Every structure is written in C-alpha cells, then in structure tokens.
Amino acid sequence: MSAPGVLLARQAFSGGATGLRSQILLAAICSGYGVGAAVGWGSREVALVMGDFGLSAAALVAAVSCFVYARSRHSRFRPAWMLFAVSSAMASCGNAIWGWYEVVLDREVPSPSIADLFFLCFAPPAIVGLLVLAKRPVTRAGWVCLALDAWLIGGSLLTLSWSIALAHTARVQGESVAPAALALAYPLLDIVLVSLVLALHFRRSATNRSAINTAIAALALTVLCDALFTSPLLRESYRSGQLLDAGWFAGSLLLAYAPWGASRTVETARPPRGTRHPSRPVAGSLAALTPYLAAAVCTLGILHNVIEGRRVDRVVVLTGCTVVLALVVRQGIMLLDNIALTHELAQKENHFRSLVQGSSDVIMIAAPSGILRYVSPAAAGVYGREAEELIGSELACLIHPEDLGRVVHEVRRFLAAPPADEPTMRIDCRFRSGSGDWLNVESTVNRHQGGLLFNSRDITERVRLQAQLQHNAEHDPLTDLPNRALFTERVRQALTGRRAGDSGTAVLFIDLDGFKGVNDRLGHLAGDELLIQAARRLQDSVRSGDTAARLGGDEFAALVVGDGSRNQSAREYQVQEIADRLRLTLSQPYRVDGREVRVAASIGVAFAEPAITPTDLMRNADLAMYRAKAAGKDRVELYAPQMQADVVRRTELAARLRSALHEGEFALLHQPVVSLATGRIVAVAAQARWRSAQGILFTPAEFLRVADSADTPEGARTAELGHWLLEEAVEQAAERSRVGHRVPVSVRLSAGRLLDKSLPLGSIEALLTRHGLPSGALVIELADSDPRISFEDLEQRLVALRRLGVRIALDGFGSGYAAINALRRLPVDVLKLDRGLVEGVVESARLHKITAGLLRIACDLGMQSVADGVDMPEQVIALRAMGCTHGQGMAFSGPLDEYRLRRALVRDEFPVPGGIALPVLTGGVSPARNGSNNETRVPPT
C-alpha cells in the first residue's frame, strides 16, 4: 500500500504530534486535488485520469484502511468499519469502470452501465454501518422514535427534492424507464443516507466518538457531492476531473483517516484543567428539534409547488401526509414517555427526599463563602438545633476553635486537588450542639456546584468508646493505675526529648511483703480491696508530674521525673526520702472487711544513666527490689552494678545445675544424730552436696536457692533431686546394714512430693523391697506442708508408710503456722525443732521458754525430739535440761562422707557435756534439714 491513506494510517500511531502532521498532510493532499480540479489539470486526458482513476484510488485507500482497522481491533464497532470498507470498495470499482470507458475505450459512458450498479451498491453498506455505529435504543418506543425520525428527515428531503428537481427529472426522462429509474435511485438512496446521518448524528455512541464523527462527515460530504451530481443544473455539464470530484476525493480520504488518525488524536488530547462543560449540550437541543425541522422542510417543499403555480404532485401530498402522521405519532410517544418519566422522577424525588429527611446523618450544603444554604431535618435530632436555625449561618462559627484551622487547611487542599484524584474527603471535628456542648462529628465532603456537600454524623459515643478502650488497654482494670505498657512508654518519654540525659529521673519498683498471706487467709476479694487501697495511697503520694503504676499481682512502680538538678548526691537522697515515705505509707494498717491487715513494702530504686533504655532502667529497679526482699524485706535498696553481676552468676549457676545431676556432680553426705544423754549415734541424716566441675562445693541452701530463682519451674528440678536423694540414701543404708551398721537413715521430703501424682504410688515401698532395708531403718522427714494440700490425702499416705515400718518426723516444728494442725491430725513419731528455736536458746529467756514449751508438748504426746543446729556445748546442756532427747549439729559433727561416717559408726560415741542421763532413743530419728552454714565456705564466683 503506497497510497496517502496508508501513510496516514501508519502515522496515526505515533502520538499527538504525528496526528497533527497527518491532518496537515491530509489537508494538503485534498487541497492539491482541489486546485488541480479547479484549473482542469492542464489537459483533458489528465483530468479524465484524475477524475476517474484518482477517485477510484482514493476509495480503494478508504476500503483498505477500514478493512485493516476492522481486522486489528476487536470491538462491537468492528462490523461497521467492515461495512464501510465494502461501501468504499463499491465506489472504487464504480470509478474504475467509469474510467475504463472514458480513458481506455475513449467513449461516452452508457446509461445505465455496470458503473451505475457499483455506485448504487455504495449506499446500502454505508447505511447499515451507520446503524451499527448508532447508540441503540433500549426500549421499543426508542426504536419506533428512531424509525420515525429517519422517515421525518427522509420524507421531508424527498418532498423538497421532488418539488424542486425530481419531478422535473421524471418528466424529462419519462420516455425511458431505465434512465428515469436510475435518475431517481441516486437521490433516493442519498436521501436515505442523509436521513440516517442526521438522525444518528445525535444518537452516536460515546465510545471513540471522534472516529465516528469523522466517518459521518466523510459520508455526508460524499452524499452532498452525489446530490449536486444528480441535480439537473450540473448533470448536463458534468465532466470527469472537475471540481465536484474533489468532494468525492476528500470524502474517501477522510473516511480512510477516520478510524486511525482521528481516534489517536482525541485519545492523546486532554482538556485543560478548569474547563467547564455547558449544563445543556447543544447536541441534545438539536436532537429535540429534529422532528420540527423536518416538518418545516416538508412544508417548504409544498410551498414551493404553490409558489411556482404547479399542480400539487401526488408524491408530495402522500409524502407530506406521512410526515405529518409520523410527527403526530412521534409526539404522542414522546408525550407518553414524558408522562412516565415525570411520574418516575416524582417517585425518585419523593424517595430521595424521604431518605434525606429520614436519615440519621445530617446533610448540609455550604456555599463557596462558607454560608450554609441547606441543612436536612436530621439536624434537630443530631445537633439539637432546627435546620432553619442553621441555614444562613456561617459554618466556621459552628466548628470548635481548636479544630477550625485544621478543617480550613483540609478543605483548601481538597478544593485544590483534581476531582478525579480526590473525589471525596473525610473530616473529623467538634461541632457545637444546641445545648452548647461540643459533639464529635465525622463528615464526608463532596464538591457541589462550586461549594461543598457535607454528609455528617455524630460519633461522640464512638469517640468516647474508643477513648475508653484505649484507657482500658493502658490501665490496670482493678486499680485504674497505668499498666506495664503505659508505664514503659512514660519511662521512654522521660528518657528522651528535652529530658534526655537527666540522671535525676528514677524508677521505683514496689512489692507488698505478706500479700500472699492476706490472699490465703482472707480470700482474693479481700486481697483485691487491699490492692485498691494501696494503689490509692501510692497515687496520692507521688507528684502530679510523676507516674504510679501497677505492674501485676502485688507489684507496683513509680516514675519520679528528674528536676534538672546537677547535684546527683542530693537528688539520690531526695528520691530515697520519697521511697522511704512511700514504704511507710504502704506499710500502714489497712482496713479490709472490718479487719486490720498489715503488709510491708520492699522498694528498689534505679536512677537513669546516659543512653540507658527503658527496659534496662526498669530491670535495674526490679533487681534492687528483689535485693530489698532478700535483705529482710520492708526496706529500700538502691541499684548497684553488683546486683546485675549477682544475677548473671545465679543464672550461670542455674544453667550448670540442670546438667549437674546427670553428670554425677552431686554427692551424698550424712550428718550424725546424737543422743544428748549418751553421745551415741542413733541415726544419720542424708544431705545432698553439689561439687561443681570447677571444684566448688555448694550446700543445699545455696543450690536450692538458685533453683528457686531459675527460669525452670522449681518442682521439676527439686523433684528429680529428691528422687535421687531418696534412692541413694536407701541404697547406702542397705549397704551399711549388711556390714553391721544398722543405723536408721532420715530423708527430707515435702508433702507435695509424697502426694505427687507423677510419682508411682508404690515407689517408696518398691525401693525398700528392692534393697532389703529392714523395718524402722527409714525415716521420712516431712517438710512444712502447702496449705493447699489436702490433710486427708496426706494422712492416708503417711498411715500406709507407717504400716511398712517407715517412721514419720515433722521437720521445722515451730516455724510454720500449719505445724500445730499437722501435729493434731498426722501420724507423727518425731518432732524436729527448727534451727531458729535452737540458735538463741541460751541467750534469750523468751526463746528459752518457747522452746521448753514445745518440748513439753512432744513429751506429753509421747514423741521423741531432735534439735537441729546444735553447734555449741551450752546449747547441748540447755536442751537436755529442757527434755530434748537428740541433737544434730556442729557440736558433734558436720556432714560426713561414707568413709568418715563408717569410722564414726565404729567409734559410735561423741563426747557430751556432763549431766543427768536420759533414756536412749530407740527408734529412728528425723534428719536435719540443712547442715550448718559454717560447714563449707563457698568462694565467690
């Protein structure tokens, strides 16, 4: 393809600049053809060639262009462009045959000829193609109106054309039927084509409208040239290559350009910002006037016959009557359609009015000046103000002053943004109600005729609920103090910003000593009431800029913000005074359920350091608080770096403790239990010792304390250690019994361990049977029982063990509140006095009387007694005088390994200070809980 239309089709894809060049090239080619036709092309032969084969080439370019576009684009308009291609191909063939006669054969074109057949086939595909391009009606009435509009236009043109030219043509050529029919066929087909062009111009689809407009213009130009060609004025004098051919040439090239160049140009062009579209389109007005314009044309045709003095032709009368009838029918249809549309519009208006008036949202329309022009009736229920009262007021006067600046800024930004980018906006602000209160209002804002449309709703309850949820998320539900999360955030704020680097900022961690006992004695409700009172005291004791918080359980915290002082010593003294004052305040008696309850407070204090994090600062305060509890409770401790080192040491020790038992680092020692009357060894108490891989020896008090503070739960570790201790003690006692040392061994077990469901019920019995330990050779030393343990289950378990010859000793008697109850209900054989009752028995007369009273109880109940921690001869004399039968401690011997124990059993006697002899203990005795702390010095790690 080398024709200009193909060149235009290729250039149509190169963007806006290329499209402009294509239009200029198209205008230049058409203008050049027009100039050539106007001057006669310089010779008759050239005029004939350009008038015949030039038009054929232009029509062929249009046919190929439309065909290629239809093959390359898959849309619902594809058949239309294919039909336009067929129509142009018919015109190309007709012009080629016309040129064959005039140029090649050099003779007149016969009438009619084969060229006339192709020319007549030009209109039908074009007519159908225009129907495809039209916006199809959606109702039957629409189709009827479309047909009536086409007939109104066609009939009017037929009336006018018949009155002016066609009747004359029919009379002139009436002698020959073929020439007369041919002369009438051209104008009639052109009238139909023009009718559809005019009728469909106002009903064209919105898709690719520029290409459709160009195609309509091309067909309109072709029809115009056909009308001029068929008129008697030009038909007689027409010769190929004249100026009339320039119209057909331009129409063909315009149709070739339509699907490519026009579509590309419009797609790349964008309307400038701020362009306003008319409220009433011109196309809509012309479409409404189309029937009346057609009737006017028909009237002009009839008037022309009257003015010329001619007899009114039957064709004119018939056509005019049908046009009038079509107009009446169309107006009737339109009237019914308008009535239906009016009724539907009224229903929709009532529907939307009901929605607006019944909506709980307030709809307001504000002018560009900010004056409210409309307010929906919902304002009375939402704002407590009538709509009439708000109309005419300024919107800015109703918005909270603190929110007004933000609202104005958002509105200006919204109006400056392109509507396509930001069609709506949401604004939250406070709005004045009729009672003077401020309501939280959420508004959706849209543009409306230069102003703003507000769709507002009251969200006060939602804002209140969100604030309540936020408060609940950051505060303790029981005391309403800030919780750990909010307290951590407050600490972070205190360590950053303008207070960053202020070493006077301090964090206090507070723990209520004895709170668990309140829960156990009085119940959790009483414990909750105590926590509420303690929180109130704490809140009242801190300054307004400080923060008091509850971290969980009975743990509280306080943040004391620094005052910018550079005297660190004075600041530490001041904060310690605050902590002491808090301790005294929290230690005052509480009134709970009509009872006076006392708890103490252990407080740890940590000061901020440069670059310290909130987590580290709170950890330091926590370490200081635990140091205060370990140092005796009811005191204040300041954080020192050594505390962190101690924690690291305990953590490392706990990590080694996990594998120590499996790696054989534990050893079993025995401490002799001696008769205070004779000095003979009547039993041995089994005790575990841990010698670490570094050669350090730890006493039970030391490694069990580490076990308690380790991450692993205490039960799992101590249960495994207790099982090992029991089995090892029974096995070694059986070995000693076989070699002749028949001395009972005592093993300390907790009540929880005896009732542990994970421990097989007959494990102790099976152990005695497996090692063949005789009756009375094992003493179970029962530790202080947990208050939650059932005494009934414990009693049944101890009774079953006694049937096997196992003796029961009550360990730590005099140190626990449950000891008296255990003595009353449990089958106990031996009472073991707590070390605390023995250490000061010589120096303290009060303690002497208490110990003597307890020993009297044991004697009256027929039980034997063992004093733990007998380290001095004076204690031996005093205890023996009070009736104590046995003792265990450094006054006789410390814990011994198996070799030294057997040497002591061979000697079987320790020197005892002189005095009255007492009956020798014949049964087994209970073992000591711990060896003396003076036995083994633990070097620091």
Side-chain angles (χ1 to χ4, degrees), residues 849-862:
K849 292 180 181 180
I850 294 174
T851 305
L854 294 176
L855 289 172
R856 256 192 320 272
I857 293 175
C859 183
D860 293 341
L861 293 176

Side-chain angles (χ1 to χ4, degrees), residues 455-467:
N455 190 353
S456 306
R457 61 201 60 88
D458 182 12
I459 59 169
T460 303
E461 186 62 24
R462 188 178 75 185
V463 171
R464 186 197 63 79
L465 180 59
Q466 288 177 346

Side-chain angles (χ1 to χ4, degrees), residues 78-127:
R78 181 179 179 182
W81 296 108
M82 193 67 73
L83 289 169
F84 290 153
V86 173
S87 177
S88 298
M90 295 296 103
S92 177
C93 292
N95 284 303
I97 294 173
W98 195 284
W100 176 263
Y101 280 108
E102 287 191 335
V103 177
V104 179
L105 300 180
D106 193 18
R107 64 186 180 88
E108 292 290 334
V109 181
S111 180
S113 66
I114 301 177
D116 292 322
L117 177 63
F118 282 104
F119 286 143
L120 291 176
C121 291
F122 165 79
I127 293 171

Side-chain angles (χ1 to χ4, degrees), residues 704-738:
L704 287 179
R705 183 170 63 250
V706 172
D708 294 346
S709 62
D711 295 335
T712 304
E714 175 189 2
R717 187 173 297 117
T718 55
E720 187 177 6
L721 182 59
H723 180 73
W724 174 86
L725 177 64
L726 177 64
E727 185 166 0
E728 194 74 13
V730 170
E731 182 180 358
Q732 292 188 16
E735 288 290 333
R736 288 192 297 272
S737 179
R738 281 193 287 270

Side-chain angles (χ1 to χ4, degrees), residues 7 25 57 82 94 97 229 236 295 512 532 534 547 722 725 832 869-870 882 909:
L7 179 61
L25 180 60
M82 193 67 73
I97 294 173
F229 172 74
E236 299 299 331
L512 300 182
I532 293 173
T547 301
L725 177 64
K832 187 172 183 180
V870 182
M882 285 185 281
E909 186 176 7

Side-chain angles (χ1 to χ4, degrees), residues 343-363:
H343 181 67
E344 183 180 356
L345 182 62
Q347 286 184 337
K348 290 183 177 181
E349 184 178 357
N350 293 332
H351 174 69
F352 285 109
R353 183 182 292 110
S354 301
L355 288 178
V356 171
Q357 294 180 352
S359 174
S360 59
D361 293 353
V362 180
I363 299 175

